[in-house]
């Protein structure tokens, strides 16, 4: 598992975001994610992870720099950029009056995938670990984790070259968490470029090909899997957070 | 893409209890409105026919000597569409006692006769659309954008290559279609009710009813558009609802009333009493003059048997000439006195309605009552009909008796020998019958066109506002 | 502890955007309504005064007692500034003269423009808008706290449920009273500034109106809390409450009236009028026939007499005959009058049945009960028309008696039938001098006692109290069993 040197799919270049109220949420951040690579963005609450992902999706405009998907700057041509990326939000909540299948169907079609059959939807839902008896139930009674799984299935079905995951494991039980890690690895092997924000150090270390630590809007450390090999990520994390505080 | 979004909206709507409940309620209301409307129509029809019959009976037994005592009533017939869109039909006088000449005053509005209905008013189709369905439309669309945001589905949707304009249009069309589908069934059933209960509607009437419903849908479209606009301008759906509720209160309940009350009062119109008093005074004067002039020409009794037949005829002719002259004078005077008031009323009406039309609810209400023939024009139509009837009646009188009923005082002379002749009764069959001018389809359409145009414009404005707001919407 | 809870409620409420919205809307609407109401009242009062002046002028110009006629006007009640009720729908005046009383020409018939969207008054605002705000204030009282999780937190402490619910009730109540009282105080100022003639009894009535309003929205507040204690989600309770509001305020009253109309048929004025007319003309022609036969018999009796005998005979009997004819005519008039009274009575009874039914259906809704109580209080209720017509009828009797006395004194002249519009009837010939009108009775509406503004609506007030009590009680029952998780 080596980092490829082909054209990166997700690129952040001098990405800077200052909110209207003056908060500098991202401060000149640059990184790239190539096909077949998982990039784990680590950082505490308010570090700026979601801000970065929102910039890729053009939910907000960058103050400076740009976020590119497959070479397309998100804020220049948002529709083209968004056609090439799938997204799982921090807290997936779907249409409560729809069944899981109906939800998945709607979002798949919205993504332009019209050729899927019901069976495909079932497969995808099974793949993310949603029990078959829940497929035709309305989402009203779903737990947080079940909704999260449905959300991940939606992302898989979009079959986009890049995937953005904002703290996707929140709300998943340990077993589901483990299955999720395996799923991510499969997706990577299919050649997807995956950007995942998380504060779960353990999982990050397990799957990530590249790890970046963010603190107060800055990318304070970035290591490849190989570079990390012998090191204790936890210690590094604590040190960088603390070091930044002092500096 | 648009189709998919609309489909999703429809499914979302029909799956939600909120929608099901609101539309069950509106279905019941619509059916109730049609049913009670049809019943009311028949009651009114029966009452009207009884009144017509009674008025004829009241004139029975008059002899050909008593043409001057004929007082036919011009009764405003109930119209089938008026029970669905009552407009001002219950507020205007429905009975006019017609004299051959002189001023006519309509009496007895339905509300004044039965104040209990004035206190509670009536459940009709236009009320249901204007007030209840508008509220339901708000309830239905207030969280269209902000609700999706709160649920998080907005992010997920817009993480795809969906243009925002398409997304909003999908919302609008989806909501509109859902409401149309939900209303179509009770409305069609309502039409069946009208058919089954034998409410006589002509082809043109059905056309007008159709247009009223279309107007109603256009109005609901405005409400939906506005709801989307507000929803796309607020971050929380509860705020959106609050804003919309205030809009509803103001637009539906307050503005129509306040605008007409304030704008109407801004134009001063002389009271009718003042005008009536002036006319009364003039008439009294005329009356006294006519008395003395008649005294001059009254034939002296030429013997035991009273005046001769020729003398009477001569007198009648002279008398009629004088009466016609006075009547011409009188009506000219009335016209002069009333003209100013009528002009001012027009201006008042224009201002008030112009101001009132700022609210789509008023625009719809005016459009529907215009189409139903129960707008302010109804009063004028009735008035003109009675005036036309008065002319016909006057012609009839002159033909039959050689004299009119106008022009102040009349003296009836009889020669003694006529007494023995058998008295002949007036043939009431020959009396012209009163009919109201029909509501002309082209006419009302022409008048309603402005309101339809306005409703379309409101739709466009609210949609445009929604687009602008949504393009700048913070979807995070 | 209660004060802590109450203060928290008030703080939450006062800081919420809905409070600001409510407050603004209430102030603007109430002031607007009172302003419009005052204008309308003054216009009405001026109109009545002006019309009376003109009538007086016309009376002065009259030269004969016979056929003298005038009008009686319905007067404006100062309370109609707050409760317009049926004021605009009922006739403004009735002719007083030979013709029967008929209170006709309502303000809306004359100025139909204003009938289009009807009136905006205090009672309407309370009935519709304030009730809606009461719901808005309370729909999430319990379910909302549950959703936010604060309910569990609260009940992790030793808080009695009853006290908690009381604080909710009191908080919402106080919160809503303020936006009602402040504009109302301003409205009172307006009333004083514009010099609407408010007497002591009128102030009492205004105070009572406020009390009714408070009772009415207490019911809605408690209802809101009840429903919110019956549901798990605030959005559900809101939808339910909105439906309840729509049904209570917008639908039930109308449907009640409409259904009642269908269950009892009341003849229209036109029908009754023609029936009366038919009876009158039948009676009159009978009278004329009788006269003819008597005349014929008398003529027959005189046939054989010599002219001298005839003159003597006439001399002896003429007075008596005239007396008899007069008596017969009076009898006939009385008969016609009695018949039309009977008809009127019949119609009134049927109308009363219909009204009672409509009221019974409509009163299922507290909004209707409040509306009725308020109208009764302001004297602009449904019965206003009947009340006025009765008084006007009594006045007409006085007026006619007076005129008859006078015209009897001045003696009859020639009888001439009239063909012109305006005054009908007949005139006496003779003097051109104006009449001495000092003793002519003038119409004045009887001053009603305070009780007569209150008693007819006691049912409604009692109903309001029952509704309020029921909703408070059910609120307690629901909340005591509420699952606070
Ligand atoms: N809409 C906003 N307006 C102002 N500041 C914001 C906004 N959204 C986030 N922030 C601030 O930006 C910083 C980064 O937030 P975020 O990217 O959500 O952090 P993370 O996802 O890493 O927890 C935080 O300090 C947060 O307070
Ligand atoms: Mg985050």
């Amino acid at each position: 598992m080596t980092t490829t040197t082909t054209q990166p799919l997700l690129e952040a270049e001098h990405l800077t975001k200052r909110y209207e109220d003056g908060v500098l949420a991202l401060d000149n951040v640059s990184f790239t994610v190539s096909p077949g690579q998982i990039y784990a963005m680590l950082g505490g609450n308010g570090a700026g992870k979601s801000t970065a992902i929102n910039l890729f999706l053009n939910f907000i405009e960058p103050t400076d720099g740009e976020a590119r998907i497959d070479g397309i700057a998100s804020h220049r041509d948002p529709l083209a950029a968004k056609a090439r990326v799938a997204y799982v939000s921090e807290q997936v909540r779907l249409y409560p009056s729809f069944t899981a299948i109906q939800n998945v169907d709607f979002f798949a079609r919205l993504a332009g995938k019209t050729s899927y059959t019901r069976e495909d939807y079932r497969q995808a839902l099974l793949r993310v670990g949603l029990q078959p008896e829940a497929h035709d139930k309305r989402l009203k009674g779903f737990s947080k984790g079940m909704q999260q799984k449905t959300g991940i299935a939606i992302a898989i079905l979009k079959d986009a070259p890049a995937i953005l995951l904002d703290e996707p494991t929140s709300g998943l039980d340990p077993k589901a968490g483990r299955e999720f890690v395996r799923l991510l690895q499969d997706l990577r092997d299919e050649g997807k470029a995956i950007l995942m924000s998380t504060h779960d150090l353990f999982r990050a270390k397990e799957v990530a090909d590249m790890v970046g630590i963010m603190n107060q809007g800055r990318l304070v450390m970035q290591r490849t899997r190989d570079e990390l090999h012998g090191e204790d990520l936890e210690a590094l994390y604590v040190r960088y957070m603390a070091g930044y505080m002092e500096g | 893409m648009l189709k998919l979004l609309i489909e999703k909206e429809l499914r979302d709507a029909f799956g939600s209890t909120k929608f099901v409940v609101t539309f069950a309620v509106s279905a019941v209301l619509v059916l109730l409105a049609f049913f009670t409307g049809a019943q009311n129509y028949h009651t009114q029809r029966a009452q009207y026919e009884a009144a017509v019959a009674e008025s004829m009976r009241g004139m029975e037994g008059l002899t050909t000597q008593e043409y001057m005592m004929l007082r036919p009533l011009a009764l405003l017939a109930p119209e089938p569409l008026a029970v669905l869109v009552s407009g001002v039909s219950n507020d205007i006088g429905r009975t006019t006692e017609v004299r051959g000449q002189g001023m006519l005053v309509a009496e007895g509005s339905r509300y004044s006769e039965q104040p209990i209905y004035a206190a509670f008013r009536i459940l009709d189709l236009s009320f249901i659309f204007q007030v209840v369905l508008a509220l339901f439309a708000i309830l239905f669309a207030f969280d269209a954008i902000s609700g999706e945001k709160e649920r998080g589905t907005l992010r997920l949707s817009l993480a795809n290559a969906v243009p925002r304009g398409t997304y909003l249009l999908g919302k609008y069309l989806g909501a509109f279609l859902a409401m149309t589908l939900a209303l179509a069934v009770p409305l069609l059933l309502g039409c069946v009710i009208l058919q089954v209960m034998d409410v006589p509607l002509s082809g043109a009437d059905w056309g007008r009813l159709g247009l009223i419903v279309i107007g109603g849908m256009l109005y609901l479209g405005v409400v939906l558009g506005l709801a989307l606009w507000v929803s796309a301008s607020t971050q929380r759906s509860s705020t959106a609802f609050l804003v919309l509720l205030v809009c509803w209160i103001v637009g539906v309940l307050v503005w129509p009333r306040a605008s007409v009350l304030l704008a109407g009062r801004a134009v001063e119109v002389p009271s009718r009493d003042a005008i009536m008093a002036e006319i009364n005074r003039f008439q009294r004067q005329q009356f006294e003059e006519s008395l003395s002039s008649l005294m001059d020409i009254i034939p002296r009794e030429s013997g035991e048997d009273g005046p001769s037949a020729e003398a009477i005829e001569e007198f009648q002719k002279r008398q009629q000439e004088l009466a016609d002259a006075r009547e011409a004078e009188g009506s000219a005077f009335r016209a002069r006195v009333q003209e100013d008031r009528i002009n001012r009323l027009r201006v008042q009406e224009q201002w008030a309605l112009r101001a009132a039309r700022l609210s789509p609810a008023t625009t719809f209400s005016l459009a529907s009552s215009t189409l139903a023939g129960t707008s302010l024009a109804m009063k004028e139509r009735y008035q003109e009909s009675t005036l036309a009837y008065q002319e016909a009646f006057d012609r009839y009188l002159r033909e039959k008796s050689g004299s009119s009923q106008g022009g102040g005082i009349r003296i009836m002379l009889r020669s003694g020998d006529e007494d023995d002749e058998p008295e002949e009764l007036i043939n009431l069959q020959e009396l012209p019958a009163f009919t109201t001018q029909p509501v002309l389809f082209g006419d009302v359409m022409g008048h309603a066109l402005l309101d339809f145009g306005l409703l379309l414009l409101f739709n466009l404005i609210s949609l445009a506002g929604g687009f602008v707001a949504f393009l700048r919407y913070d979807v995070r | 502890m209660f004060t802590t809870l109450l203060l928290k409620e008030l703080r939450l409420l006062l800081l919420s955007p809905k409070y600001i919205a409510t407050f603004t809307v209430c102030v603007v609407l109430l002031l607007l309504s009172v302003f419009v109401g005052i204008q309308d009242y003054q216009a009405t009062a001026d109109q009545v005064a002006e019309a009376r002046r003109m009538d007086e002028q016309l009376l002065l110009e009259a030269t004969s007692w016979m056929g003298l006629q005038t009008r009686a006007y319905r007067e404006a009640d100062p309370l109609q500034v707050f409760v317009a009720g049926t004021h605009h729908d009922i006739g403004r005046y009735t002719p007083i003269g030979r013709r029967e009383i008929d209170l006709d020409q309502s303000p809306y018939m004359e100025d139909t423009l204003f009938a289009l969207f009807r009136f905006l008054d205090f009672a309407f605002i309370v009935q519709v808008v304030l009730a809606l705000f009461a719901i808005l204030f309370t729909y999430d009282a319990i379910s909302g706290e549950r959703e936010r999780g604060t309910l569990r937190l609260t009940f992790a402490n030793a808080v009695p449920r009853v006290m908690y619910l009381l604080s909710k009730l009191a908080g919402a109540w106080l919160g809503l009273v303020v936006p009602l009282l402040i504009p109302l105080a301003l409205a009172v100022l307006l009333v004083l500034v514009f010099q609407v003639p408010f007497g002591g009894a009128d102030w009492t009535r205004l105070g009572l109106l406020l009390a009714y309003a408070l009772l009415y929205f207490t019911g809605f507040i408690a209802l809101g809390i009840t429903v919110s204690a019956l549901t798990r989600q605030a959005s559900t309770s809101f939808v339910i409450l909105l439906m309840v509001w729509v049904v209570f305020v917008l639908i039930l009253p109308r449907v009640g009236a409409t259904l009642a109309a269908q269950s009892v048929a009341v003849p229209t004025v036109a029908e009754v009028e023609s029936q009366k007319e038919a009876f009158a003309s039948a009676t009159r022609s009978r009278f004329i026939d009788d006269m003819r036969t008597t005349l014929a018999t008398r003529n027959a009796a005189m046939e054989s007499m010599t002219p001298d005998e005839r003159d003597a005979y006439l001399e002896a009997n003429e007075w008596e005959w005239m007396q008899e004819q007069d008596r017969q005519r009076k009898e006939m008039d009385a008969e016609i009058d009695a018949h039309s009274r009977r008809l009127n009575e019949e119609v009134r009874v049927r109308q009363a049945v219909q009204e009672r039914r409509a009221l019974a259906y409509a009163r299922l809704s507290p909004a209707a009960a409040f509306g009725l109580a308020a109208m009764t209080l302001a004297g602009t209720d449904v019965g206003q028309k009947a009340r006025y017509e009765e008084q006007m009828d009594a006045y007409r009797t006085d007026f006619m008696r007076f005129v008859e006395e006078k015209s009897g004194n001045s003696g009859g002249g020639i009888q001439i039938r009239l063909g012109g519009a305006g005054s009908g009837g007949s005139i006496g010939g003779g003097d051109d001098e104006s009449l001495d009108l000092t003793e002519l009775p003038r119409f004045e509406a009887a001053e009603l006692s305070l009780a007569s503004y209150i008693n007819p609506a006691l049912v409604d007030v009692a109903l309001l109290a029952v509704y309020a009590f029921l909703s408070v009680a059910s609120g307690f029952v629901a909340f005591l069993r509420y699952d606070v998780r």
Side-chain angles (χ1 to χ4, degrees), chain C residues 234-249:
Chain C
S235 57
T236 318
S237 62
F238 192 78
V239 172
I240 292 176
L241 281 167
L242 205 62
M243 289 300 138
V244 171
W245 178 83
V246 166
V247 170
F248 274 176
V249 176

Side-chain angles (χ1 to χ4, degrees), chain C residues 15 148 214 233 293 298 454 484:
Chain C
L15 292 176
R148 271 177 277 158
L214 293 181
Q233 279 164 341
T293 39
R298 281 175 200 156
I454 299 170
V484 297

Side-chain angles (χ1 to χ4, degrees), chain A residues 44-46 48-51 90 166-167 197:
Chain A
N45 292 329
K49 307 182 294 289
S50 297
T51 302
E90 212 164 332
D166 197 353
E167 297 181 21
S197 89

Side-chain angles (χ1 to χ4, degrees), chain B residues 376-450:
Chain B
L376 289 176
M378 184 186 201
K379 193 173 167 182
E380 278 169 36
R381 204 153 36 87
Y382 178 51
Q383 250 163 14
E384 276 162 24
S385 308
T386 50
L387 286 178
Y389 180 66
Q390 186 178 37
E391 262 174 46
F393 178 58
D394 188 47
R395 241 178 288 123
Y396 161 84
L397 280 178
R398 284 170 194 270
E399 204 175 284
K400 289 287 168 191
S401 69
S403 55
S404 70
Q405 287 178 336
I409 194 166
R410 260 329 147 79
I411 293 176
M412 307 269 288
L413 293 181
R414 287 184 182 195
S415 62
D417 50 289
E418 270 175 52
D419 255 358
D420 303 329
E421 281 175 23
E423 285 185 343
E424 207 183 316
L425 292 181
I426 296 179
N427 180 4
L428 289 176
Q429 240 56 73
E430 291 169 5
L431 189 70
F434 173 71
T435 46
T436 336
Q437 294 171 10
V439 184
L440 295 178
F441 187 80
D443 237 23
V444 289
M445 202 43 229
H447 287 292
L449 219 53
L450 167 70

Side-chain angles (χ1 to χ4, degrees), chain C residues 203-224:
Chain C
W203 290 115
T204 318
R205 285 196 285 154
L206 184 58
L208 276 172
L209 183 63
L210 178 63
Y212 291 176
L214 293 181
L215 198 57
Y216 170 64
F217 81 64
T218 305
F220 264 99
I221 283 177
L223 187 71

Side-chain angles (χ1 to χ4, degrees), chain A residues 19 54 57 59-60 79 82-83 85 87 89 93-98 102 106-107 109-111 138 154 158, chain B residues 1 4-5 8 11-12 15 148 150-153 155-163 167 474-476:
Chain A
Y19 282 110
N54 283 338
L57 290 167
F59 286 166
I60 45 181
L79 292 185
K82 288 194 281 191
V85 67
Y87 165 66
S89 67
R93 281 160 77 204
L94 301 165
Y95 294 106
S97 56
F98 290 6
Q102 283 172 341
F106 169 67
F107 283 106
R109 283 166 183 275
L110 205 57
R138 292 189 178 199
I154 288 169
K158 185 165 182 180
Chain B
M1 176 83 73
L4 171 70
L5 288 167
K8 177 230 133 199
R11 187 176 310 144
D12 202 9
E148 292 245 9
E150 282 168 337
R151 280 188 276 181
T153 43
R155 292 166 64 93
L156 208 53
S157 294
L158 291 184
N160 293 297
V162 184
Y167 191 79
D474 185 352
V475 297
R476 281 164 302 144

